[in-house]
Protein backbone atom coordinates (compact mmCIF):
# COMPACT_ATOMS: atom_id res chain seq x y z
CA UNK A 1 0.00 0.00 0.00
CA UNK A 2 1.18 3.54 -0.79
CA UNK A 3 -0.28 6.94 0.13
CA UNK A 4 1.05 9.93 -1.80
CA UNK A 5 2.34 13.16 -0.34
CA UNK A 6 -0.03 15.79 1.04
CA UNK A 7 -2.93 13.31 1.03
CA UNK A 8 -5.27 13.83 4.00
CA UNK A 9 -7.07 10.97 5.73
CA UNK A 10 -9.94 11.80 8.08
CA UNK A 11 -11.14 9.63 10.98
CA UNK A 12 -11.85 5.93 10.49
CA UNK A 13 -10.53 5.64 6.93
CA UNK A 14 -9.61 2.05 6.04
CA UNK A 15 -7.08 1.42 3.29
CA UNK A 16 -5.99 -1.99 2.06
CA UNK A 17 -4.83 -3.32 -1.29
CA UNK A 18 -4.56 0.18 -2.74
CA UNK A 19 -2.34 2.95 -3.99
CA UNK A 20 -3.47 6.52 -3.29
CA UNK A 21 -2.02 9.43 -5.27
CA UNK A 22 -0.80 12.82 -4.09
CA UNK A 23 -3.01 15.65 -2.80
CA UNK A 24 -6.02 13.38 -2.23
CA UNK A 25 -8.68 13.91 0.45
CA UNK A 26 -10.43 10.91 2.00
CA UNK A 27 -13.27 11.80 4.36
CA UNK A 28 -14.44 9.92 7.46
CA UNK A 29 -15.39 6.29 7.11
CA UNK A 30 -14.03 5.76 3.60
CA UNK A 31 -13.25 2.10 2.84
CA UNK A 32 -10.87 1.43 -0.04
CA UNK A 33 -9.63 -1.95 -1.18
CA UNK A 34 -12.04 -4.44 0.39
CA UNK A 35 -13.22 -7.45 -1.58
CA UNK A 36 -15.93 -6.85 -4.15
CA UNK A 37 -19.18 -8.79 -4.39
CA UNK A 38 -17.98 -11.56 -6.71
CA UNK A 39 -19.50 -15.02 -6.67
CA UNK A 40 -20.11 -17.91 -9.07
CA UNK A 41 -22.44 -20.89 -8.94
CA UNK A 42 -21.22 -24.36 -9.87
CA UNK A 43 -23.29 -27.04 -11.61
CA UNK A 44 -24.47 -28.40 -8.25
CA UNK A 45 -25.85 -24.98 -7.30
CA UNK A 46 -23.20 -24.24 -4.67
CA UNK A 47 -22.14 -20.59 -4.42
CA UNK A 48 -18.39 -19.84 -4.35
CA UNK A 49 -16.54 -16.60 -3.69
CA UNK A 50 -14.58 -15.30 -6.68
CA UNK A 51 -11.06 -14.34 -5.57
CA UNK A 52 -10.51 -10.60 -5.26
CA UNK A 53 -6.73 -10.33 -5.47
CA UNK A 54 -5.93 -7.00 -7.11
CA UNK A 55 -5.92 -3.35 -5.99
CA UNK A 56 -7.58 0.04 -6.11
CA UNK A 57 -5.51 2.76 -7.78
CA UNK A 58 -6.46 6.38 -7.00
CA UNK A 59 -4.92 9.12 -9.13
CA UNK A 60 -3.80 12.51 -7.87
CA UNK A 61 -6.17 15.20 -6.50
CA UNK A 62 -9.01 12.71 -5.89
CA UNK A 63 -11.58 13.50 -3.20
CA UNK A 64 -13.66 10.69 -1.69
CA UNK A 65 -16.68 11.51 0.49
CA UNK A 66 -17.64 10.05 3.85
CA UNK A 67 -18.88 6.48 3.96
CA UNK A 68 -17.84 5.68 0.40
CA UNK A 69 -16.63 2.15 -0.46
CA UNK A 70 -14.38 1.29 -3.40
CA UNK A 71 -13.83 -2.43 -4.01
CA UNK A 72 -10.55 -3.87 -5.22
CA UNK A 73 -10.33 -5.69 -8.52
CA UNK A 74 -10.68 -9.36 -9.29
CA UNK A 75 -9.31 -9.49 -12.87
CA UNK A 76 -8.06 -5.90 -13.25
CA UNK A 77 -7.28 -3.14 -10.79
CA UNK A 78 -10.14 -0.81 -9.90
CA UNK A 79 -8.99 2.64 -11.09
CA UNK A 80 -10.08 6.16 -10.14
CA UNK A 81 -8.65 8.85 -12.44
CA UNK A 82 -6.95 12.03 -11.28
CA UNK A 83 -9.11 15.01 -10.27
CA UNK A 84 -12.18 12.81 -9.78
CA UNK A 85 -14.62 13.94 -7.07
CA UNK A 86 -16.75 11.37 -5.25
CA UNK A 87 -19.50 12.44 -2.85
CA UNK A 88 -20.69 10.67 0.33
CA UNK A 89 -22.16 7.16 0.45
CA UNK A 90 -20.99 6.06 -3.02
CA UNK A 91 -20.34 2.39 -3.89
CA UNK A 92 -17.82 1.58 -6.63
CA UNK A 93 -17.69 -2.13 -7.46
CA UNK A 94 -14.69 -4.28 -8.31
CA UNK A 95 -12.86 -3.74 -11.63
CA UNK A 96 -14.51 -0.33 -12.27
CA UNK A 97 -12.49 2.17 -14.30
CA UNK A 98 -13.22 5.89 -13.77
CA UNK A 99 -11.54 8.45 -15.99
CA UNK A 100 -10.20 11.87 -15.09
CA UNK A 101 -12.42 14.70 -13.80
CA UNK A 102 -15.39 12.39 -13.13
CA UNK A 103 -18.01 13.61 -10.61
CA UNK A 104 -20.16 11.14 -8.67
CA UNK A 105 -22.86 12.69 -6.47
CA UNK A 106 -24.25 11.15 -3.29
CA UNK A 107 -25.35 7.52 -3.24
CA UNK A 108 -24.18 6.66 -6.75
CA UNK A 109 -23.79 2.89 -7.16
CA UNK A 110 -21.55 1.43 -9.86
CA UNK A 111 -21.76 -2.33 -10.28
CA UNK A 112 -18.59 -4.24 -11.06
CA UNK A 113 -16.59 -3.61 -14.24
CA UNK A 114 -18.37 -0.35 -15.12
CA UNK A 115 -16.23 2.05 -17.16
CA UNK A 116 -16.86 5.79 -16.77
CA UNK A 117 -15.24 8.13 -19.30
CA UNK A 118 -13.39 11.38 -18.58
CA UNK A 119 -15.56 14.26 -17.38
CA UNK A 120 -18.76 12.25 -16.86
CA UNK A 121 -21.16 13.46 -14.13
CA UNK A 122 -23.60 11.14 -12.34
CA UNK A 123 -26.34 12.75 -10.26
CA UNK A 124 -27.38 11.57 -6.82
CA UNK A 125 -28.53 7.93 -6.60
CA UNK A 126 -27.64 7.26 -10.25
CA UNK A 127 -26.51 3.71 -10.85
CA UNK A 128 -25.23 1.23 -13.38
CA UNK A 129 -25.58 -2.47 -13.90
CA UNK A 130 -22.21 -4.10 -14.37
CA UNK A 131 -20.01 -4.47 -17.43
CA UNK A 132 -21.04 -1.37 -19.33
CA UNK A 133 -19.55 1.95 -20.41
CA UNK A 134 -20.71 5.44 -19.49
CA UNK A 135 -19.11 7.68 -22.11
CA UNK A 136 -16.80 10.65 -21.72
CA UNK A 137 -18.71 13.82 -20.87
CA UNK A 138 -21.96 11.92 -20.33
CA UNK A 139 -24.47 13.25 -17.82
CA UNK A 140 -26.83 11.03 -15.82
CA UNK A 141 -29.70 12.69 -13.97
CA UNK A 142 -30.34 11.81 -10.35
CA UNK A 143 -31.73 8.27 -9.84
CA UNK A 144 -31.07 7.31 -13.48
CA UNK A 145 -30.07 3.69 -14.01
CA UNK A 146 -27.78 2.72 -16.87
CA UNK A 147 -28.74 -0.73 -18.15
CA UNK A 148 -26.74 -0.43 -21.37
CA UNK A 149 -23.82 1.68 -22.61
CA UNK A 150 -24.27 5.47 -22.51
CA UNK A 151 -22.73 7.37 -25.46
CA UNK A 152 -20.06 10.05 -25.10
CA UNK A 153 -21.69 13.40 -24.29
CA UNK A 154 -25.19 11.96 -23.82
CA UNK A 155 -27.57 13.36 -21.19
CA UNK A 156 -29.84 10.66 -19.81
CA UNK A 157 -32.40 10.08 -17.09
CA UNK A 158 -34.95 7.54 -15.92
CA UNK A 159 -35.01 3.80 -15.50
CA UNK A 160 -33.80 2.44 -17.77
CA UNK A 161 -31.72 5.51 -18.61
CA UNK A 162 -32.50 7.11 -21.97
CA UNK A 163 -32.42 10.60 -23.49
CA UNK A 164 -33.35 13.05 -20.73
CA UNK A 165 -35.56 15.19 -23.01
CA UNK A 166 -37.66 12.13 -23.83
CA UNK A 167 -37.83 11.16 -20.15
CA UNK A 168 -39.09 14.59 -19.09
CA UNK A 169 -41.69 14.67 -21.93
CA UNK A 170 -43.06 11.28 -20.89
CA UNK A 171 -43.27 12.33 -17.24
CA UNK A 172 -45.02 15.59 -18.16
CA UNK A 173 -47.62 13.74 -20.27
CA UNK A 174 -48.18 11.19 -17.53
CA UNK A 175 -48.82 13.92 -14.99
CA UNK A 176 -51.29 15.66 -17.34
CA UNK A 177 -53.12 12.34 -17.84
CA UNK A 178 -53.42 11.81 -14.10
CA UNK A 179 -54.82 15.35 -13.52
CA UNK A 180 -57.52 14.94 -16.19
Amino acid sequence: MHVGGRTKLHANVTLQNCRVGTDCLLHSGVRIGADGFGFWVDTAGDVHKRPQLLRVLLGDHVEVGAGTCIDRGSWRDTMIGSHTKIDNQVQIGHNCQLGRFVVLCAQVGLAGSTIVGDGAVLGGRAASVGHLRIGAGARMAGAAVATKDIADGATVGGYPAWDLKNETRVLARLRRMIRD
Side-chain angles (χ1 to χ4, degrees):
M1 184 178 66
H2 170 82
V3 177
R6 297 177 307 278
T7 288
K8 295 179 183 173
L9 308 178
H10 287 246
N12 300 314
V13 169
T14 302
L15 302 176
Q16 57 190 36
N17 312 303
C18 66
R19 181 174 180 85
V20 179
T22 62
D23 297 306
C24 293
L25 177 56
L26 307 180
H27 291 277
S28 298
V30 165
R31 304 289 186 255
I32 297 178
D35 284 359
F37 190 74
F39 297 90
W40 60 279
V41 180
D42 65 21
T43 56
D46 293 327
V47 179
H48 303 275
K49 185 169 179 59
R50 186 171 306 282
Q52 310 282 308
L53 303 174
L54 298 175
R55 304 170 296 170
V56 175
L57 305 177
L58 264 66
D60 300 328
H61 306 281
V62 172
E63 184 168 346
V64 182
T68 290
C69 296
I70 305 174
D71 297 339
R72 69 178 173 153
S74 62
W75 58 271
R76 69 177 174 204
D77 289 330
T78 300
M79 297 180 66
I80 310 298
S82 294
H83 300 278
T84 289
K85 307 303 180 199
I86 302 169
D87 199 358
N88 300 337
Q89 300 293 322
V90 170
Q91 165 61 38
I92 299 173
H94 60 276
N95 308 321
C96 286
Q97 309 281 292
L98 276 63
R100 297 168 47 88
F101 298 98
V102 170
V103 176
L104 303 180
C105 297
Q107 298 181 346
V108 163
L110 299 178
S113 301
T114 298
I115 297 170
V116 180
D118 293 344
V121 177
L122 281 65
R125 289 186 34 229
S128 73
V129 301
H131 305 276
L132 57 75
R133 181 179 182 280
I134 299 168
R139 304 285 185 261
M140 289 181 67
V145 179
T147 58
K148 61 182 181 178
D149 289 353
I150 305 295
D152 291 349
T155 301
V156 300
Y159 174 69
W162 65 320
D163 182 78
L164 185 60
K165 289 180 184 176
N166 291 337
E167 176 70 7
T168 55
R169 283 186 197 120
V170 166
L171 290 174
R173 282 189 180 162
L174 182 60
R175 286 186 181 115
R176 282 195 299 272
M177 288 173 48
I178 291 170
R179 282 190 300 225
D180 294 340

